[in-house]
Amino acid sequence: MDYFSMGGYAAYVWPSYGLAVLILLGILINSWSITRRCEADLIYMHQNRSNVELASVANAEKIR
């Protein structure tokens, strides 16, 4: 039990551990959401790039 009292400094140590865990969780959630958003953007751009390339090939064939 002496370990958890931290020599009388438990009121400072345990809240700092809790705050550190909350900050790390916030960073993790933020990184995860940014990654998902970027993946969705890349998929969208890839799909639109294919449509633009197909349209440009079709227009090039019409010109010939």
Side-chain angles (χ1 to χ4, degrees):
M1 195 63 171
D2 192 37
Y3 174 76
F4 292 109
S5 68
M6 298 283 178
Y9 294 102
Y12 303 105
V13 174
W14 292 115
S16 65
Y17 282 160
L19 183 61
V21 168
L22 286 176
I23 290 171
L24 290 173
L25 284 174
I27 291 170
L28 177 69
I29 292 169
N30 188 33
S31 298
W32 180 71
S33 66
I34 288 172
T35 301
R36 286 187 50 139
R37 196 174 325 132
C38 288
E39 287 175 349
D41 288 345
L42 285 172
I43 290 169
Y44 176 77
M45 285 189 268
H46 181 70
Q47 289 172 346
N48 285 338
R49 181 184 62 109
S50 298
N51 293 338
V52 170
E53 288 175 358
L54 290 174
S56 65
V57 168
N59 286 337
E61 290 176 359
K62 286 180 185 177
I63 294 172
R64 290 183 191 176

